[in-house]
């Protein structure tokens, strides 16, 4: 499980790319998201909202997470 402090809205099903020095880039589909209280959520709409999400790979502190653009090819 990873704890994210997000800056921009993302929703269940969005593709997120994880980028950090010393780690290989990888993408996951946002799933099973929970807020800071552990309640299931469909989206993270508020800046600096804490989101918990299961990730099956190691994620370093201060990793940048970006949402894949719907216009990318």
């Amino acid at each position: 499980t990873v704890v994210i402090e997000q800056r921009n809205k993302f929703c269940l099903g969005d593709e997120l790319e994880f980028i950090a020095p010393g780690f290989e880039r990888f993408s996951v589909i946002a799933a099973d998201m929970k807020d800071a209280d552990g309640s299931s959520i469909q989206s993270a709409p508020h800046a600096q909202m804490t989101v918990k999400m299961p990730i099956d790979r190691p994620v370093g502190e201060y990793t940048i997470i970006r949402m894949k653009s719907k216009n990318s090819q």
Side-chain angles (χ1 to χ4, degrees):
T1 298
V2 66
V3 178
I4 300 166
E5 182 182 298
Q6 59 80 280
R7 297 289 191 260
N8 296 303
K9 181 179 179 177
F10 66 93
C11 302
L12 285 175
D14 286 343
E15 185 173 0
L16 306 175
E17 183 178 25
F18 289 69
I19 305 165
F23 288 88
E24 184 178 331
R25 286 183 186 196
F26 66 95
S27 295
V28 298
I29 303 298
D32 194 24
M33 295 171 25
K34 301 199 183 304
D35 64 15
D37 297 324
S39 300
S40 292
I41 55 175
Q42 299 292 310
S43 68
H46 309 293
Q48 295 186 298
M49 181 176 181
T50 299
V51 178
K52 297 175 185 175
M53 196 169 61
I55 302 290
D56 62 354
R57 297 179 67 164
V59 177
E61 192 173 18
Y62 305 113
T63 295
I64 294 173
I65 304 168
R66 65 181 180 183
M67 187 167 61
K68 186 170 183 176
S69 171
K70 296 189 188 333
N71 296 326
S72 357
Q73 298 177 6

